[in-house]
Amino acid sequence: MTLLSIRNLEVQFKHYEGVTKALKKISLDIKEGEKVALVGESGSGKSVTARMILGLLSNSNIKKNGEIFFENIDLLKESSSQIKQIRGNEISMIFQDPVSSLNPYFTVKKQMLQALENHTKDYDKNTIEKYFVNLLKDVKIEDPERVLNSYAFQLSGGMAQRVMISMALINNPKLILADEPTTALDVTVQKNVLSIMKDVISQKKMSMLLISHNLGVVREFADKIYVIYQGRILEEGSTEKIFNSPGHIYTQTLLQAIPKINSSKLPSLDSENLDYLSQPKFTH
Amino acid sequence: MMKIFKSRGWYKFSKNPLSVIGLLIVSIIVLMSIFANYLTPFPEHAGPFVDIPNKIKPPSSTYFFGTDKIGRDTFSRIIFGYRTSLYLGVIVLCIAVPIGTSLGLIAGYFGGKIDAIIMRITDIFLSIPPLVLALSIMAFLKPTLTNAMIAVSMMWWPWYTRLIYNLTRSLKNEGFVISSKIVGASHFHIIFREILPNCSASLITKITLDMGFVILIGSSLSFLGLGVQPPTPDLGTMVSQGSKYLPDIWWLSVFPGLAILVIVLGFNLLGDGLKDLFDVEI
Amino acid sequence: MLIGVSILIFIIARIIPGDPARMALGPTATQEMVEQYRDKLHLNDPIHVQYWFFIKGITQGDLGESVYTKRNVTTDVSTYFPATLELIIFAALIMVCVGVPLGILAGRYKDKSIDNISRLISLLGVVTPSFVWAVFLMIIFAFYLDILPVAGRLSQDTVAPDKITGLIIIDSIIRGQFDVTIDALKHIILPALALSLSALGQASRLTRSNITEVYDKQYIEMARAYGYNEFKIATKYALKPAMIPTLTILGLDFAAMLGNAFLVEFVFAWPGIAKYGVQAILYKDLNAITATTMIIATFFVITNLIVDLVVAYLNPKIRLSGK
Ligand SMILES: Nc1ncnc2c1ncn2[C@@H]1O[C@H](COP(=O)(O)OP(=O)(O)OP(=O)(O)O)[C@@H](O)[C@H]1O
Ligand SMILES: [Mg+2]
C-alpha cells in the first residue's frame, strides 16, 4: 500500500530578483513500512520537499502546484487545522541540527509532553513518564530520567538527536521525515545514531523518508533511493539497483564521489561542465 | 561637495523620505536659529521685554504662536529657544565626545587593568538612568545653563566610551592595524591614524542622534527649573511656565512642546538615515 | 552598593560650594544664627565625626531635619515617595501590558500596518519628552474631552484610606473602599500614560526585534512540525526565549521612569517626591537631598535585584550554572 505519493510537485519562490524554481515536477512514492532516501547535493531541493509534505512553507511568496497524497488525502488542499492534526501525529520530522531544534528554555520532558498534548488530551498522567522513559531507552539512552529533566544545552549532539528521534515516535506516526539527521553530528556518532534510528523504525514498522547528500550514508539504510538534482528527480530505484547499475551519469558521478569514510564533506561535483539535466530521468 | 550628491550613498539616503525630512528639519532649524536676529518678527522679545497692551494674544498673523503674560511673541522666543538648545547640545557633545572617545580608545587598545578600570566606571554610569544622573549632579551645582551643560556632559561621555571601546576592540585585530604594528608604528600613530578614522562613521551617526537626546535632557532640566534661567528663552522653561496657564492660554505650552518634539525628531530621523547610509551599528 | 552610594553622597555633599546653613536661613540671618545652625548640623565638627553622624543617621532611619520643611526628612520621604512609586508602578504596568503585546504583534506581522503603527508610536515616544506628553494628554483628556481629572491623586472630597502601604489604590482595595479606588485610578491614568509613553515605545521595539529573532530559530519550525498551534507558539514557546533578554532592559526602563516621574509629577501636581527633591536641590537642603538620593538608590538596587532574580529563575542556563 502506498502511504505517501507526491505527484508532479512544483514549487517556486518569488523574491526581488525574480523566481527560484526549487522543485520542478517531482514525483515520489513511499510504501507502508518502506525506507526511502532522497539524495542530492546542496540546494537541490531536498529540504523543500520535506517541508512541503508538512506544509511548513506557507508564506505568500511561494507558488506551488501538484499533489501530495497521504493516505488518499491531498495535503496541499487540506486546511491548516487539518494539517496541524497530521503534523507530529501521523507524520513527524527530525531536523538536521538537534541542539537548536530543541527549545533551550523548556526541559525535554516538557517538550515531549507538549508534542503529545498537541494531539491527545486523555492520557494517563501516572504512566506517561514511564512511556517517555521507554521511548528514550528505545534509542539507547542510558539515563533517561536525567535526560528527561535536562535542557537542550545540557545534551551532546548525538544525545539530542536521539531525543529528537524519540520525540518523533511519541504519537506513533506512520511516516517519519528525517532531513539530514546526522550531518551536524561528529563522524563517530553518525553511524551509531543512524543504526539506532533504523532499528527503531524497522521494529515499529514505520515508513521513513531519509534526506541526505551522501549516497554512502543511505546505502545500509534505505530500501529505495531517489536522486534529485536542481529540483528534478534524475533517477529512482531500489538501493541495490542504484548501487550496482546506476543508470544516470549524475548518479554515477555521485557514486564515484563517495568518500571512503562517511565524511560529512560534500562531494565536490564539477557540475559546471556537465549538463546532467539533458539526460532524461532513469527509472529502474 | 557636488561629489556627495552624485555618490551612491546620497542616492541611498535620498531614497528614504524620512531621512530627507530629518535633514530638512535640522537644516531649517539650524539656519533659523543662527539668523534668528533677522528672521524672527520680534527679536527683541527674546530678552526681558515687556509689552503689556499685547499680552496673552492668541495665535494670529502677527503673532504666529500668540504672546505670553507680558506680551512677548512665542514664535520669536521659540526660535531663540532653539538657539539655546543647539548651543547646549553642541557644548555638551564637545565635552563628552572627546572625553568618551579617548577613554574608549585607551581602554580598547591597551586592554588589561586600565581597560577593566575604565569600563567598570563606564558601566556604573550607564546603569543609572540619564535624567536621574543629571538630577543628582545638579543637586550639587547652582542651577545655571553652564552647570546644566556640565551635568549633562558628565552623564554623556560613557556612551561614547562604550561605542569606541567596542569598535577599537574589533579594529585592533584587523589586518591593517596589525601590519602597521609590525612595521613599528607608534601607539599614537595606530590609535589616531589607523583606528580613530575608522570609527568616524559611527561617531558622526551617534553624534547626530545624540544631539536630539541631549536637547531633550537639557529641556527636561530647565523644565524643572534646574537649567537655563529666565529671561533666556528656553523651550523647557517655556513649557513649564506655560503649563501653569492651561487650558486658557494653551499656546504658551503647546507650541514650545511641539518645538522640542520637532527638533528631536529631526535629529533622530537624520541619524537613522546616516545609520543606513554608513551601514553602522550604534 | 548602598554603602558606596552613601559615601559618595556624603563626599559630594561636603565639597559643594556654598554654605548650607547660610542658604537655609536666608540672607537676613545674623552670623550668630548661622553659626548656631552649623553646630546643629554638625558642620563645625571634623569631617570623620560628620561622617559618623551621617552613617548613624542612615542606619537609624534618621537623616536629620529638612532645612526647608523643618520636618524630619525620613518622614518627608515616606510621605512623598509612595505616591511616586504608585505612579511608576502603574506606568510600568501600561508599558508591559501595551508595549509587549504591541511588540509581539509587530514582530509577527512585520511590515504590515500593525508594525508601522508600533514603529510610529515608538518613534514619537522616543523623541517627545514626557512633560510634553503630559501637557498634550492633559489638554486632550482633561480639558478638551473633560473626562479625566486634571491634577492630584484624589478628588478634593475623597478621603484617602488609612495608610497601609501608602499606595492609595492598593490601600483602598484592602480596606474595601472601592469608590476611592476608582477615583484614584481616574487620577493616575493620565500621568502614568505620559510617563509610560517613551518607555512603551522602547519596550515594543525591543520585544519586536527579539521576537523576530526567535521566530527565525529552528525550534520554532520544529514546534510547527509537531503540531503546535500558532497561538501557543506566540504566547509561550517563542515568548519565553524572547522575553528573557527583554526583561533586563525593561528593568532598566522601569528604573529610568523615576527620572521622568519628576517631569510628569510637575505637570499633574502629583504629590510625589519630585517637587520635594527639586526644592531640596534648589535650596541645597543637604539632609533632604541625602534622603532623596538614598531612596532613589535603594529603589535601583531593589529593582536590579528583582530583575536579576527573575531572569535567573526563568533562564535555566543561569539557574543551573548557579547550583
Ligand atoms: N524559504 C525559502 N525562500 C526562498 N528560497 C528558498 C527557500 N527555501 C529554499 N529555497 C531555495 O530552494 C532551493 C532548494 O533549497 P533546499 O533547502 O531544499 O536545498 P537542500 O537540497 O535541502 O540543500 P542543503 O543540502 O543545503 O540543505 C535553494 O535554491 C534555496 O535557495
Ligand atoms: Mg536542506
Side-chain angles (χ1 to χ4, degrees):
Chain A
M1 250 288 277
T2 307
L3 184 65
L4 182 92
S5 171
I6 299 178
R7 294 271 146 261
N8 299 323
L9 181 63
E10 257 185 318
V11 175
Q12 298 184 347
F13 293 105
K14 276 183 273 183
H15 38 79
Y16 297 116
E17 286 94 40
V19 289
T20 313
K21 292 188 179 172
L23 295 179
K24 301 160 191 162
K25 295 210 179 217
I26 68 158
S27 297
L28 183 152
D29 287 295
I30 301 175
K31 292 202 187 71
E32 270 174 25
E34 190 178 40
K35 291 185 278 298
V36 174
L38 182 61
V39 182
E41 60 184 65
S42 187
S44 55
K46 306 180 300 283
S47 298
V48 170
T49 310
R51 290 187 165 90
M52 283 310 293
I53 297 173
L54 279 179
L56 292 173
L57 292 170
S58 54
N59 66 42
S60 50
N61 320 323
I62 201 171
K63 230 183 102 187
K64 46 200 171 187
N65 254 317
E67 288 131 1
I68 302 178
F69 284 107
F70 177 73
E71 298 189 313
N72 300 322
I73 51 170
D74 187 350
L75 295 177
L76 286 185
K77 299 207 170 60
E78 284 301 295
S79 70
S80 66
S81 63
Q82 219 94 46
I83 292 274
K84 245 171 237 153
Q85 273 316 303
I86 290 173
R87 287 180 187 168
N89 192 17
E90 308 208 28
I91 306 177
S92 58
M93 183 154 172
I94 298 168
F95 292 90
Q96 176 169 344
D97 183 355
V99 178
S100 59
S101 301
L102 288 166
N103 193 315
Y105 295 99
F106 296 90
T107 57
V108 168
K109 185 162 135 194
K110 194 118 200 186
Q111 296 185 58
M112 290 181 90
L113 205 57
Q114 187 63 52
L116 181 81
E117 281 178 352
N118 287 336
H119 301 290
T120 132
K121 289 274 186 279
D122 52 324
Y123 55 86
D124 186 354
K125 289 208 168 54
N126 304 317
T127 56
I128 196 67
E129 182 145 354
K130 186 98 192 84
Y131 175 59
F132 290 158
V133 165
N134 283 336
L135 278 180
L136 290 175
K137 276 188 185 150
D138 285 346
V139 291
K140 309 266 175 333
I141 286 181
E142 316 256 308
D143 45 354
E145 280 88 4
R146 184 188 71 86
V147 169
L148 267 186
N149 292 310
S150 301
Y151 292 89
F153 59 87
Q154 295 173 296
L155 303 174
S156 69
M159 194 89 99
Q161 194 59 298
R162 281 183 278 164
V163 167
M164 284 306 295
I165 295 170
S166 45
M167 183 106 71
L169 300 172
I170 284 180
N171 294 307
N172 269 315
K174 295 182 178 121
L175 174 64
I176 294 184
L177 313 172
D179 190 354
E180 313 216 21
T182 58
T183 316
L185 304 180
D186 277 353
V187 186
T188 43
V189 288
Q190 281 189 8
K191 259 204 132 132
N192 182 252
V193 168
L194 217 53
S195 74
I196 288 174
M197 188 164 78
K198 182 178 178 179
D199 291 348
V200 187
I201 284 175
S202 310
Q203 185 203 335
K204 298 197 185 253
K205 302 201 173 52
M206 293 170 179
S207 308
M208 169 147 222
L209 177 65
L210 173 70
I211 288 171
S212 178
H213 55 246
N214 190 335
L215 263 178
V217 166
V218 304
R219 179 169 199 166
E220 295 129 63
F221 191 90
D223 308 321
K224 192 166 146 195
I225 295 175
Y226 286 82
V227 177
I228 187 171
Y229 176 74
Q230 292 193 4
R232 232 172 236 156
I233 303 283
L234 293 189
E235 178 162 358
E236 66 168 278
S238 68
T239 307
E240 208 182 284
K241 288 206 175 106
I242 296 256
F243 274 87
N244 293 339
S245 52
H248 200 284
I249 25 166
Y250 180 67
T251 317
Q252 290 160 9
T253 332
L254 275 183
L255 280 170
Q256 281 156 19
I258 292 180
K260 289 292 164 279
I261 357 155
N262 284 350
S263 113
S264 63
K265 253 213 203 122
L266 289 175
S268 59
L269 298 176
D270 211 356
S271 50
E272 302 278 315
N273 301 336
L274 271 170
D275 185 10
Y276 298 115
L277 292 175
S278 60
Q279 191 189 342
K281 182 179 166 189
F282 190 94
T283 313
H284 288 277
Chain B
M1 189 65 200
M2 283 318 287
K3 250 191 186 158
I4 294 178
F5 294 100
K6 287 192 185 131
S7 69
R8 215 181 121 77
W10 170 255
Y11 177 78
K12 225 165 94 184
F13 183 87
S14 63
K15 270 282 160 196
N16 184 348
L18 288 178
S19 323
V20 178
I21 292 176
L23 181 63
L24 276 179
I25 293 177
V26 169
S27 357
I28 292 176
I29 290 177
V30 169
L31 285 177
M32 286 198 71
S33 56
I34 290 176
F35 300 106
N37 285 327
Y38 312 102
L39 293 177
T40 52
F42 306 99
E44 68 278 12
H45 289 197
F49 180 87
V50 181
D51 178 14
I52 297 300
N54 280 320
K55 70 173 185 181
I56 323 182
K57 287 268 188 295
S60 65
S61 53
T62 330
Y63 304 108
F64 304 139
F65 296 162
T67 63
D68 65 8
K69 294 283 275 188
I70 52 174
R72 293 180 298 187
D73 175 39
T74 310
F75 177 75
S76 308
R77 287 181 62 75
I78 283 179
I79 303 300
F80 279 95
Y82 272 144
R83 187 188 264 189
T84 317
S85 296
L86 289 169
Y87 175 63
L88 174 120
V90 169
I91 300 287
V92 163
L93 291 173
C94 280
I95 302 172
V97 175
I99 296 179
T101 306
S102 7
L103 287 176
L105 284 169
I106 293 171
Y109 182 77
F110 293 108
K113 237 191 202 122
I114 192 156
D115 171 348
I117 296 173
I118 293 179
M119 292 322 286
R120 185 86 199 106
I121 298 175
T122 307
D123 284 344
I124 292 176
F125 270 88
L126 288 178
S127 70
I128 308 175
L131 190 56
V132 174
L133 189 55
L135 281 174
S136 351
I137 299 172
M138 281 314 286
F140 305 109
L141 299 171
K142 281 214 171 63
T144 61
L145 176 60
T146 319
N147 285 341
M149 294 194 292
I150 294 174
V152 181
S153 323
M154 284 275 291
M155 48 160 285
W156 222 277
W157 63 265
W159 296 100
Y160 287 87
T161 309
R162 161 88 67 84
L163 174 72
I164 298 298
Y165 174 77
N166 289 338
L167 285 171
T168 308
R169 295 251 305 197
S170 62
L171 285 170
K172 204 165 74 172
N173 300 321
E174 293 277 332
F176 64 92
V177 174
I178 294 172
S179 61
S180 66
K181 233 182 220 168
I182 291 168
V183 299
S186 66
H187 291 319
F188 185 88
H189 175 92
I190 296 175
I191 293 179
F192 289 99
R193 287 291 156 83
E194 307 284 351
I195 295 180
L196 190 57
N198 279 292
C199 298
S200 55
S202 301
L203 266 180
I204 292 171
T205 310
K206 177 134 183 77
I207 289 174
T208 312
L209 282 167
D210 278 357
M211 254 323 258
F213 294 124
V214 169
I215 289 173
L216 195 149
I217 293 277
S219 73
S220 304
L221 281 182
S222 48
F223 173 84
L224 291 173
L226 298 176
V228 184
Q229 297 298 320
T232 311
D234 175 89
L235 302 173
T237 320
M238 287 166 82
V239 178
S240 149
Q241 296 188 335
S243 68
K244 293 184 190 125
Y245 304 111
L246 284 173
D248 304 323
I249 322 180
W250 54 270
W251 55 90
L252 286 187
S253 52
V254 169
F255 290 118
L258 280 174
I260 301 176
L261 188 163
V262 168
I263 190 169
V264 184
L265 182 71
F267 278 110
N268 214 282
L269 294 177
L270 181 60
D272 274 342
L274 291 180
K275 199 150 82 180
D276 290 346
L277 174 65
F278 296 134
D279 195 17
V280 287
E281 283 290 323
I282 299 291
Chain C
M1 165 79 186
L2 280 177
I3 295 174
V5 171
S6 78
I7 295 176
L8 200 70
I9 296 169
F10 178 79
I11 293 172
I12 301 175
R14 303 299 131 152
I15 58 170
I16 55 166
D19 181 350
R22 164 65 64 191
M23 289 234 203
L25 297 174
T28 54
T30 63
Q31 190 57 38
E32 199 181 331
M33 284 161 74
V34 172
E35 278 306 314
Q36 254 177 11
Y37 204 80
R38 284 183 66 88
D39 271 340
K40 199 172 151 203
L41 294 178
H42 305 293
L43 285 176
N44 289 331
D45 295 334
I47 196 91
H48 62 272
V49 180
Q50 288 188 34
Y51 185 67
W52 168 245
F53 277 112
F54 176 78
I55 288 296
K56 206 171 103 190
I58 287 183
T59 47
Q60 292 173 349
D62 173 16
L63 289 170
E65 189 179 79
S66 155
V67 294
Y68 173 65
T69 62
K70 301 277 186 276
R71 286 189 300 173
N72 190 309
V73 289
T74 325
T75 325
D76 277 347
V77 167
S78 60
T79 334
Y80 295 122
F81 191 67
T84 301
L85 191 62
E86 184 168 44
L87 181 60
I88 296 176
I89 291 177
F90 206 79
L93 280 179
I94 299 182
M95 166 181 88
V96 172
C97 297
V98 180
V100 171
L102 202 61
I104 296 175
L105 287 175
R108 289 305 302 126
Y109 303 100
K110 246 201 307 198
D111 301 322
K112 304 258 167 62
S113 55
I114 180 90
D115 187 20
N116 293 330
I117 290 172
S118 118
R119 280 196 340 220
L120 186 71
I121 292 178
S122 75
L123 182 63
L124 284 181
V126 169
V127 301
T128 313
S130 42
F131 62 90
V132 174
W133 278 126
V135 167
F136 290 168
L137 289 173
M138 187 185 240
I139 290 179
I140 297 170
F141 292 99
F143 294 121
Y144 184 69
L145 297 174
D146 197 14
I147 46 173
L148 288 168
V150 184
R153 277 176 102 182
L154 288 172
S155 307
Q156 245 147 30
D157 47 1
T158 314
V159 186
D162 289 335
K163 190 165 160 180
I164 304 171
T165 58
L167 311 179
I168 290 184
I169 295 177
I170 294 181
D171 286 358
S172 62
I173 291 175
I174 295 176
R175 296 201 183 276
Q177 296 164 301
F178 296 114
D179 49 330
V180 180
T181 315
I182 291 175
D183 192 50
L185 280 175
K186 274 189 190 161
H187 279 80
I188 208 170
I189 286 180
L190 285 186
L193 196 58
L195 186 54
S196 69
L197 272 170
S198 63
L200 191 154
Q202 274 170 317
S204 78
R205 189 143 67 171
L206 191 71
T207 312
R208 173 185 184 269
S209 74
N210 285 334
I211 282 277
T212 324
E213 203 173 293
V214 168
Y215 264 93
D216 283 339
K217 292 261 159 77
Q218 178 76 72
Y219 55 79
I220 297 299
E221 187 176 34
M222 121 97 197
R224 294 206 173 106
Y226 279 79
Y228 286 60
N229 62 42
E230 287 299 320
F231 185 74
K232 185 130 219 166
I233 294 178
T235 53
K236 185 173 169 196
Y237 208 63
L239 191 62
K240 197 170 175 189
M243 280 324 283
I244 287 172
T246 314
L247 253 174
T248 318
I249 310 290
L250 288 186
L252 287 180
D253 281 347
F254 180 65
M257 281 185 178
L258 193 56
N260 287 331
F262 271 68
L263 304 168
V264 172
E265 285 184 5
F266 262 78
V267 179
F268 287 98
W270 190 261
I273 197 85
K275 191 150 197 170
Y276 184 73
V278 171
Q279 297 288 11
I281 293 174
L282 287 174
Y283 288 94
K284 295 286 173 263
D285 189 343
L286 279 189
N287 291 337
I289 292 179
T290 310
T292 313
T293 321
M294 283 310 287
I295 189 95
I296 291 177
T298 316
F299 173 78
F300 279 155
V301 173
I302 293 178
T303 308
N304 275 330
L305 197 70
I306 293 176
V307 169
D308 284 351
L309 283 178
V310 171
V311 169
Y313 171 74
L314 288 177
N315 191 341
K317 246 181 214 173
I318 300 177
R319 176 154 38 95
L320 294 170
S321 67
K323 264 187 193 170

